Amino acid sequence: MNMKALFSAAVLLALLSPCRSLVHAAEFPVIRWEGRTMGSPYTVQIVGTNLTSEQVDALKAEVEQQLKEVNRQMSHYQPDSELSQFNRAAAGKPFKVSPEFAHVVRFSLEMARRSDGAFDPTLAPVVNLWGFGEKTEQRAVPPEAELKAALAVTGWKHLSVTPDDELIKDIPGLTINLSAVAKGFGVDEMIKVLRGHGLTNVYASIAGEVRALGCNPRGTKWQVGISAPVAHWRENDPMAAVASLSNQALSTSGDYQKFFTDAQGRRLSHIIDPRTGWPIQNNIGGVSTVASDNMTADALATTLFVMGPVEGMKFVESWTNAAALFIVRAGEDQFQHLPSSRFSAMTGFNP
Ligand code: AMP
Ligand code: MG
């Protein structure tokens, strides 16, 4: 049976949007599943449909196939991904990639241009050197000469994309790392699959990248928690804030999950200043962004973390369809919440 026919019943029910039926006391039925992709957990929730277990299995297989496809294109863990092949390729020669990969690179280069290089998709050698890339077992301050050598083969201006979806590096050794944007794109691809079946009340996430459509099982907007960037962060710690989302994406970048502490007690995290090659050290613990798609929210959150609360706040205000909440350290596990002007209106956040 073809998948479209398979989901016709689901479509019909989903069209009767639960958001408009708040008189219901009971919760709407919800289908949930979890899995792993890109080294992280992912989740899906679908509300208000009566899919059979076979239909759910088919949908899950389709979502996972889509995620596999993103990994085949953009994973830096997979030696045979398009990205890994491009990373090994010679300079000066156009390298044909899939339209999706080209799209994410184009977007990343646009973010790099707009942020004056705060966002840089070519930091792979530096990220790897600090132990935040493929090999994560050795995290230490690298020797200065090695850092200099790694930095010399970075720079978004050395990367371009042709209208025919070909990537070109103009210096040997230039390599791509899309860790700051690919999870968000992956969530958008999951949503595309779900929406393609007419499902309108859904939630999809990969690690801290979340996108939600329509309503949750209670018939209201989806409630997504934002962690407090405490020194000894644990998965189920109390939330610093809650964002109410519908047809929006939320992304968080922070220094409280992937970091190590050096001999001087400095917290050195995975977000790198492209100018120095050093982990960013400003007073932001975490920054959460909201946008209509998750690729934008993801890249923007990383960019704002690099820019810091002052420059970052100015930058996000220049995006008319995005907003951010900066959580700034004001002492040991003490925080100041700095929302951009549109954040409360877009998320219901109450400062
Ligand atoms: P995120 O968790 O989305 O903020 O992405 C952080 C990841 O992106 C890091 O683990 C690095 O692999 C990579 N990265 C680090 N610094 C930058 C940067 N300035 N621009 C783009 N990607 C970065
Ligand atoms: Mg990001």
Side-chain angles (χ1 to χ4, degrees), residues 229-252:
V230 292
H232 303 285
W233 181 87
R234 294 281 175 280
E235 192 78 53
N236 293 317
D237 280 352
M239 294 297 166
V242 175
S244 302
L245 304 182
S246 185
N247 309 323
Q248 289 161 304
L250 182 83
S251 172
T252 299

mmCIF file of all heavy atoms in Angstrom, residues 229-252:
data_model
loop_
_atom_site.group_PDB
_atom_site.id
_atom_site.type_symbol
_atom_site.label_atom_id
_atom_site.label_comp_id
_atom_site.label_asym_id
_atom_site.label_seq_id
_atom_site.Cartn_x
_atom_site.Cartn_y
_atom_site.Cartn_z
ATOM 1 N N PRO A 229 22.246 27.140 32.843
ATOM 2 C CA PRO A 229 23.609 26.655 32.571
ATOM 3 C C PRO A 229 24.443 26.524 33.845
ATOM 4 O O PRO A 229 25.499 27.139 33.986
ATOM 5 C CB PRO A 229 24.169 27.723 31.627
ATOM 6 C CG PRO A 229 23.377 28.955 31.915
ATOM 7 C CD PRO A 229 22.045 28.542 32.430
ATOM 8 N N VAL A 230 23.962 25.696 34.772
ATOM 9 C CA VAL A 230 24.645 25.556 36.064
ATOM 10 C C VAL A 230 25.999 24.858 35.891
ATOM 11 O O VAL A 230 26.218 24.125 34.924
ATOM 12 C CB VAL A 230 23.771 24.779 37.084
ATOM 13 C CG1 VAL A 230 22.555 25.603 37.473
ATOM 14 C CG2 VAL A 230 23.339 23.425 36.524
ATOM 15 N N ALA A 231 26.885 25.067 36.862
ATOM 16 C CA ALA A 231 28.258 24.542 36.764
ATOM 17 C C ALA A 231 28.269 23.021 36.612
ATOM 18 O O ALA A 231 29.045 22.471 35.850
ATOM 19 C CB ALA A 231 29.048 24.974 37.985
ATOM 20 N N HIS A 232 27.401 22.337 37.386
ATOM 21 C CA HIS A 232 27.382 20.869 37.310
ATOM 22 C C HIS A 232 26.039 20.427 36.743
ATOM 23 O O HIS A 232 25.230 19.800 37.418
ATOM 24 C CB HIS A 232 27.648 20.266 38.689
ATOM 25 C CG HIS A 232 28.948 20.728 39.269
ATOM 26 N ND1 HIS A 232 30.157 20.258 38.819
ATOM 27 C CD2 HIS A 232 29.220 21.654 40.212
ATOM 28 C CE1 HIS A 232 31.131 20.880 39.473
ATOM 29 N NE2 HIS A 232 30.590 21.725 40.320
ATOM 30 N N TRP A 233 25.838 20.760 35.497
ATOM 31 C CA TRP A 233 24.556 20.505 34.841
ATOM 32 C C TRP A 233 24.234 19.017 34.732
ATOM 33 O O TRP A 233 25.101 18.209 34.414
ATOM 34 C CB TRP A 233 24.601 21.131 33.440
ATOM 35 C CG TRP A 233 23.339 20.956 32.659
ATOM 36 C CD1 TRP A 233 22.242 21.767 32.686
ATOM 37 C CD2 TRP A 233 23.046 19.917 31.711
ATOM 38 N NE1 TRP A 233 21.282 21.289 31.824
ATOM 39 C CE2 TRP A 233 21.752 20.148 31.219
ATOM 40 C CE3 TRP A 233 23.742 18.797 31.251
ATOM 41 C CZ2 TRP A 233 21.146 19.337 30.275
ATOM 42 C CZ3 TRP A 233 23.136 17.967 30.306
ATOM 43 C CH2 TRP A 233 21.854 18.241 29.831
ATOM 44 N N ARG A 234 22.979 18.671 35.043
ATOM 45 C CA ARG A 234 22.494 17.304 34.851
ATOM 46 C C ARG A 234 21.210 17.369 34.028
ATOM 47 O O ARG A 234 20.438 18.317 34.140
ATOM 48 C CB ARG A 234 22.183 16.623 36.193
ATOM 49 C CG ARG A 234 23.381 16.364 37.077
ATOM 50 C CD ARG A 234 24.169 15.125 36.637
ATOM 51 N NE ARG A 234 25.378 14.949 37.412
ATOM 52 C CZ ARG A 234 26.513 15.613 37.199
ATOM 53 N NH1 ARG A 234 26.597 16.509 36.237
ATOM 54 N NH2 ARG A 234 27.579 15.402 37.951
ATOM 55 N N GLU A 235 20.988 16.296 33.278
ATOM 56 C CA GLU A 235 19.854 16.207 32.338
ATOM 57 C C GLU A 235 18.524 16.703 32.924
ATOM 58 O O GLU A 235 17.801 17.447 32.289
ATOM 59 C CB GLU A 235 19.714 14.747 31.899
ATOM 60 C CG GLU A 235 18.788 14.519 30.729
ATOM 61 C CD GLU A 235 19.434 14.866 29.398
ATOM 62 O OE1 GLU A 235 20.538 14.360 29.102
ATOM 63 O OE2 GLU A 235 18.833 15.662 28.677
ATOM 64 N N ASN A 236 18.193 16.272 34.140
ATOM 65 C CA ASN A 236 16.855 16.589 34.650
ATOM 66 C C ASN A 236 16.812 17.741 35.654
ATOM 67 O O ASN A 236 15.906 17.832 36.466
ATOM 68 C CB ASN A 236 16.215 15.329 35.235
ATOM 69 C CG ASN A 236 15.946 14.317 34.135
ATOM 70 O OD1 ASN A 236 15.477 14.684 33.046
ATOM 71 N ND2 ASN A 236 16.284 13.065 34.376
ATOM 72 N N ASP A 237 17.805 18.625 35.576
ATOM 73 C CA ASP A 237 17.816 19.809 36.441
ATOM 74 C C ASP A 237 16.572 20.668 36.182
ATOM 75 O O ASP A 237 16.022 20.631 35.092
ATOM 76 C CB ASP A 237 19.063 20.658 36.148
ATOM 77 C CG ASP A 237 20.306 20.097 36.824
ATOM 78 O OD1 ASP A 237 20.169 19.162 37.632
ATOM 79 O OD2 ASP A 237 21.403 20.593 36.536
ATOM 80 N N PRO A 238 16.170 21.468 37.179
ATOM 81 C CA PRO A 238 15.028 22.375 36.941
ATOM 82 C C PRO A 238 15.329 23.342 35.799
ATOM 83 O O PRO A 238 16.482 23.686 35.551
ATOM 84 C CB PRO A 238 14.910 23.153 38.262
ATOM 85 C CG PRO A 238 15.735 22.415 39.251
ATOM 86 C CD PRO A 238 16.732 21.597 38.518
ATOM 87 N N MET A 239 14.279 23.764 35.117
ATOM 88 C CA MET A 239 14.439 24.638 33.957
ATOM 89 C C MET A 239 14.563 26.105 34.370
ATOM 90 O O MET A 239 13.959 26.529 35.352
ATOM 91 C CB MET A 239 13.224 24.482 33.034
ATOM 92 C CG MET A 239 13.143 23.110 32.412
ATOM 93 S SD MET A 239 14.577 22.839 31.358
ATOM 94 C CE MET A 239 14.476 21.073 31.101
ATOM 95 N N ALA A 240 15.318 26.859 33.582
ATOM 96 C CA ALA A 240 15.462 28.292 33.834
ATOM 97 C C ALA A 240 14.287 29.067 33.251
ATOM 98 O O ALA A 240 13.908 30.120 33.760
ATOM 99 C CB ALA A 240 16.750 28.792 33.197
ATOM 100 N N ALA A 241 13.724 28.542 32.193
ATOM 101 C CA ALA A 241 12.628 29.238 31.515
ATOM 102 C C ALA A 241 11.861 28.227 30.678
ATOM 103 O O ALA A 241 12.349 27.123 30.421
ATOM 104 C CB ALA A 241 13.180 30.334 30.606
ATOM 105 N N VAL A 242 10.647 28.611 30.295
ATOM 106 C CA VAL A 242 9.841 27.749 29.427
ATOM 107 C C VAL A 242 9.408 28.578 28.224
ATOM 108 O O VAL A 242 8.989 29.731 28.368
ATOM 109 C CB VAL A 242 8.603 27.203 30.176
ATOM 110 C CG1 VAL A 242 7.708 26.413 29.229
ATOM 111 C CG2 VAL A 242 9.031 26.314 31.342
ATOM 112 N N ALA A 243 9.531 27.993 27.047
ATOM 113 C CA ALA A 243 9.066 28.665 25.828
ATOM 114 C C ALA A 243 7.825 27.929 25.327
ATOM 115 O O ALA A 243 7.808 26.703 25.274
ATOM 116 C CB ALA A 243 10.163 28.627 24.769
ATOM 117 N N SER A 244 6.776 28.680 24.997
ATOM 118 C CA SER A 244 5.572 28.090 24.400
ATOM 119 C C SER A 244 5.688 28.233 22.893
ATOM 120 O O SER A 244 5.781 29.355 22.390
ATOM 121 C CB SER A 244 4.323 28.836 24.867
ATOM 122 O OG SER A 244 4.246 28.795 26.268
ATOM 123 N N LEU A 245 5.682 27.111 22.209
ATOM 124 C CA LEU A 245 5.946 27.137 20.764
ATOM 125 C C LEU A 245 4.797 26.543 19.960
ATOM 126 O O LEU A 245 4.193 25.557 20.367
ATOM 127 C CB LEU A 245 7.190 26.310 20.428
ATOM 128 C CG LEU A 245 8.508 26.628 21.111
ATOM 129 C CD1 LEU A 245 9.582 25.703 20.568
ATOM 130 C CD2 LEU A 245 8.903 28.081 20.892
ATOM 131 N N SER A 246 4.525 27.147 18.817
ATOM 132 C CA SER A 246 3.628 26.550 17.839
ATOM 133 C C SER A 246 4.106 27.023 16.476
ATOM 134 O O SER A 246 4.213 28.229 16.236
ATOM 135 C CB SER A 246 2.183 26.982 18.102
ATOM 136 O OG SER A 246 1.332 26.294 17.211
ATOM 137 N N ASN A 247 4.434 26.100 15.616
ATOM 138 C CA ASN A 247 5.000 26.414 14.294
ATOM 139 C C ASN A 247 6.273 27.244 14.412
ATOM 140 O O ASN A 247 6.471 28.216 13.684
ATOM 141 C CB ASN A 247 3.962 27.123 13.412
ATOM 142 C CG ASN A 247 2.657 26.343 13.382
ATOM 143 O OD1 ASN A 247 2.678 25.106 13.371
ATOM 144 N ND2 ASN A 247 1.555 27.036 13.427
ATOM 145 N N GLN A 248 7.111 26.843 15.354
ATOM 146 C CA GLN A 248 8.377 27.538 15.615
ATOM 147 C C GLN A 248 9.455 26.531 16.000
ATOM 148 O O GLN A 248 9.146 25.402 16.373
ATOM 149 C CB GLN A 248 8.201 28.512 16.790
ATOM 150 C CG GLN A 248 7.356 29.726 16.491
ATOM 151 C CD GLN A 248 6.875 30.354 17.779
ATOM 152 O OE1 GLN A 248 6.237 29.706 18.609
ATOM 153 N NE2 GLN A 248 7.203 31.609 17.961
ATOM 154 N N ALA A 249 10.683 27.009 15.955
ATOM 155 C CA ALA A 249 11.818 26.168 16.357
ATOM 156 C C ALA A 249 12.592 26.868 17.461
ATOM 157 O O ALA A 249 12.644 28.099 17.520
ATOM 158 C CB ALA A 249 12.727 25.936 15.162
ATOM 159 N N LEU A 250 13.161 26.066 18.351
ATOM 160 C CA LEU A 250 13.962 26.595 19.460
ATOM 161 C C LEU A 250 15.305 25.869 19.488
ATOM 162 O O LEU A 250 15.360 24.657 19.305
ATOM 163 C CB LEU A 250 13.235 26.354 20.790
ATOM 164 C CG LEU A 250 13.927 26.895 22.035
ATOM 165 C CD1 LEU A 250 13.613 28.383 22.219
ATOM 166 C CD2 LEU A 250 13.479 26.137 23.282
ATOM 167 N N SER A 251 16.348 26.634 19.702
ATOM 168 C CA SER A 251 17.680 26.034 19.741
ATOM 169 C C SER A 251 18.465 26.646 20.886
ATOM 170 O O SER A 251 18.305 27.826 21.187
ATOM 171 C CB SER A 251 18.379 26.343 18.419
ATOM 172 O OG SER A 251 19.724 25.947 18.487
ATOM 173 N N THR A 252 19.306 25.852 21.517
ATOM 174 C CA THR A 252 20.135 26.388 22.598
ATOM 175 C C THR A 252 21.596 26.033 22.366
ATOM 176 O O THR A 252 21.913 24.902 22.021
ATOM 177 C CB THR A 252 19.685 25.834 23.963
ATOM 178 O OG1 THR A 252 18.335 26.242 24.186
ATOM 179 C CG2 THR A 252 20.562 26.358 25.097
#
